[in-house]
Amino acid sequence: MRPLLCCLGLAALLGPCLACPSTCSCSTKKNGRLLAECAYKDLQEVPKGLSSNVTILTLSANRISWLGQGSFAEVPEVQSLWLGYNQIGVVEPGAFALLVHLKNLDLSHNKIADFPWQDLRNLSGLQILKMNNNRLAGLPWDAFHSLKDLRSLWLNDNELTTLAEGTFDNLPSLSQLQIFNNPFNCSCKVFWLKKWTENTSVSITKGGSTLCVAPGRLKGRVVTDIPDHHCIAPSVQLTYLSNLDNTVMYDGLTLTLHCSVAGSPLPEIRWKIQTSSRHIEINGPNVARDGNVKQSQERFLVFKNGTMAIPNFSKEDEGIYTCLAVNDVGTRDVSVNVALAGSENPAEDLLQDDPQASHLGGRSCYKGDEMDPSGAGEKLVIVYHMPRESKSRAGGVVSQVHLGTLLLALGIALCC
């Protein structure tokens, strides 16, 4: 009787540990890990009734099409999860978020186009991630940044046309990467990938070809062979112009800054303005060819040729003016700190307002002076307003000129 009771007691203890759905085969490995083998069972969903201490769950080659937030709630200790060769097209946010012990995740050969990348933030112990042979057309630049232990990443045979710069940063353990057989658009947006592959120690598996499908001139060419001269990082220079000679302006000062850029493709010019009371971003010209100005930004006139004009510049407009040159290769910027003085000696006037400016020696920038990009934000352009009446050729007094006249004058002077 006593041996029978012992057996029943042992069975009661082991029973919960060996709980296993009828469609699966469960066993304990030599290393003590509990394996739930549920592959090739024609399953349409993750089976219920799995033991909570399953560490290896194999669900490959079934007909699972959907993974919900609670699909793996029964197996919080799982370390290896194999889901390849299913029909998974929908993965709800939170499906993997709680599997903090996960080391191996295989989602290959499914139909995944959208994936909850935020789920990976909790999986810091993940070592192998297979997402090849899916329908991924893009992924965030920081999708993998929390995966400090990730050794092997498979992204081949998807629909990736580009990869954001920095996608493979912050992966100190990465040793194997597969990205072949994706329809890459080899614009300069992926030029960083060429540079990265030239300097990385990561083994980029060449099981297929990492070829460009666009643009036409590069079709069929290996991504890592994009010619250097097609993609040149931006360069930028900022020049201060005084009131334009021989033009009739407002009676006050018109501050004019000119931003010159170079690079391939030709960079876009953007402006950032930081004053004591506001922060403004202007992402392109706001003055049309007909002279119309977008009302929301009419205080700052930005022309297509890279020139910015601020009529009637006042103390409220003092601050840091930054010109940014942006293309597919990168971004460069140069800044200038603009202050307004009100006497014939602007440096002296400025020092009274800001004693900390003395180390700059009260330097002024005059027409045609260039701002050194290496010292962006450190130089001062000191401009000042000497109140006076501007006399016309007929001897009369001109107190103010219509905005249209100013735009016309700037247009004539700056179009060349």
Side-chain angles (χ1 to χ4, degrees):
M1 186 69 176
R2 183 173 294 177
L4 178 60
L5 290 174
C6 291
C7 290
L8 290 174
L10 184 60
L13 290 173
L14 293 178
C17 297
L18 297 176
C20 191
S22 58
T23 53
C24 302
S25 173
C26 301
S27 61
T28 303
K29 309 276 289 182
K30 290 182 179 180
N31 56 13
R33 294 181 180 178
L34 185 60
L35 167 66
E37 177 61 68
C38 310
Y40 296 95
K41 301 297 183 181
D42 207 30
L43 298 173
Q44 297 185 33
E45 62 181 9
V46 178
K48 303 297 182 182
L50 289 163
S51 175
S52 61
N53 54 358
V54 165
T55 54
I56 304 172
L57 177 57
T58 303
L59 290 163
S60 305
N62 282 292
R63 293 195 296 127
I64 300 170
S65 60
W66 170 85
L67 296 176
Q69 186 173 1
S71 292
F72 305 104
E74 292 183 339
V75 288
E77 304 294 323
V78 70
Q79 297 179 18
S80 296
L81 181 56
W82 310 108
L83 288 157
Y85 292 93
N86 274 280
Q87 300 175 20
I88 301 169
V90 176
V91 182
E92 289 188 353
F96 301 105
L98 299 180
L99 304 182
V100 296
H101 301 287
L102 205 57
K103 294 183 178 180
N104 306 302
L105 177 58
D106 180 9
L107 288 163
S108 64
H109 296 274
N110 279 287
K111 301 178 180 180
I112 301 172
D114 295 309
F115 185 80
W117 300 104
Q118 65 273 18
D119 277 18
L120 300 183
R121 294 172 187 168
N122 293 333
L123 311 186
S124 57
L126 199 63
Q127 297 178 7
I128 297 176
L129 177 59
K130 294 184 177 183
M131 301 195 74
N132 53 293
N133 294 87
N134 275 285
R135 299 176 181 176
L136 298 173
L139 48 97
W141 69 273
D142 60 348
F144 312 116
H145 279 199
S146 63
L147 307 181
K148 305 301 182 184
D149 292 336
L150 190 66
R151 300 197 315 263
S152 182
L153 176 60
W154 300 34
L155 294 169
N156 55 285
D157 292 277
N158 274 285
E159 299 177 9
L160 298 171
T161 58
T162 189
L163 288 169
E165 185 170 0
T167 298
F168 307 122
D169 290 351
N170 300 316
L171 297 175
S173 302
L174 189 64
S175 60
Q176 182 190 30
L177 174 66
Q178 296 191 176
I179 56 173
F180 57 84
N181 289 346
N182 278 290
F184 283 110
N185 181 344
C186 293
S187 69
C188 292
K189 289 182 179 180
V190 297
F191 186 69
W192 71 270
L193 186 59
K194 169 190 167 109
K195 296 298 183 183
W196 183 81
T197 56
E198 291 173 352
N199 298 303
T200 186
S201 60
V202 176
S203 173
I204 302 176
T205 307
K206 298 180 179 179
S209 298
T210 309
L211 302 178
C212 307
V213 299
R217 69 180 186 277
L218 297 176
K219 186 175 182 180
R221 195 161 186 166
V222 178
V223 171
T224 53
D225 287 342
I226 300 174
D228 287 0
H229 67 272
H230 281 290
C231 304
I232 302 173
S235 61
V236 57
Q237 288 185 329
L238 189 56
T239 306
Y240 162 61
L241 305 174
S242 64
N243 273 342
L244 300 176
D245 297 333
N246 302 319
T247 59
V248 180
M249 296 292 178
Y250 281 91
D251 187 31
L253 170 75
T254 297
L255 174 68
T256 308
L257 299 173
H258 182 69
C259 189
S260 302
V261 300
S264 180
L266 185 65
E268 297 178 0
I269 296 176
R270 302 174 186 174
W271 290 90
K272 288 185 179 180
I273 304 164
Q274 179 69 62
T275 69
S276 60
S277 60
R278 54 185 168 176
H279 180 80
I280 299 170
E281 295 187 10
I282 305 176
N283 295 323
N286 60 13
V287 180
R289 289 187 177 183
D290 59 6
N292 289 328
V293 184
K294 295 179 182 178
Q295 294 299 314
S296 61
Q297 299 170 344
E298 64 179 1
R299 183 77 189 88
F300 305 95
L301 309 177
V302 177
F303 296 82
K304 188 176 181 180
N305 70 344
T307 296
M308 174 191 287
I310 306 105
N312 277 341
F313 190 86
S314 69
K315 295 288 284 186
E316 293 181 354
D317 301 318
E318 290 182 331
I320 298 174
Y321 288 72
T322 302
C323 173
L324 298 93
V326 182
N327 69 8
D328 291 340
V329 186
T331 301
R332 288 292 302 275
D333 65 80
V334 60
S335 300
V336 62
N337 194 339
V338 183
L340 180 67
S343 69
E344 293 187 4
N345 189 344
E348 180 180 296
D349 207 41
L350 178 67
L351 293 178
Q352 293 176 0
D353 294 336
D354 184 7
Q356 293 182 352
S358 60
H359 73 282
L360 294 171
R363 175 178 175 179
S364 298
C365 291
Y366 299 98
K367 184 175 181 180
D369 280 1
E370 294 179 354
M371 311 304 150
D372 180 7
S374 64
E378 296 181 356
K379 288 192 176 182
L380 285 178
V381 168
I382 303 171
V383 295
Y384 59 98
H385 175 202
M386 290 292 293
R388 67 180 186 276
E389 292 180 337
S390 300
K391 293 191 175 182
S392 66
R393 293 178 183 177
V397 175
V398 180
S399 61
Q400 190 176 31
V401 179
H402 190 270
L403 176 60
T405 306
L406 171 62
L407 292 176
L408 180 60
L410 285 171
I412 293 173
L414 301 173
C415 67
C416 302

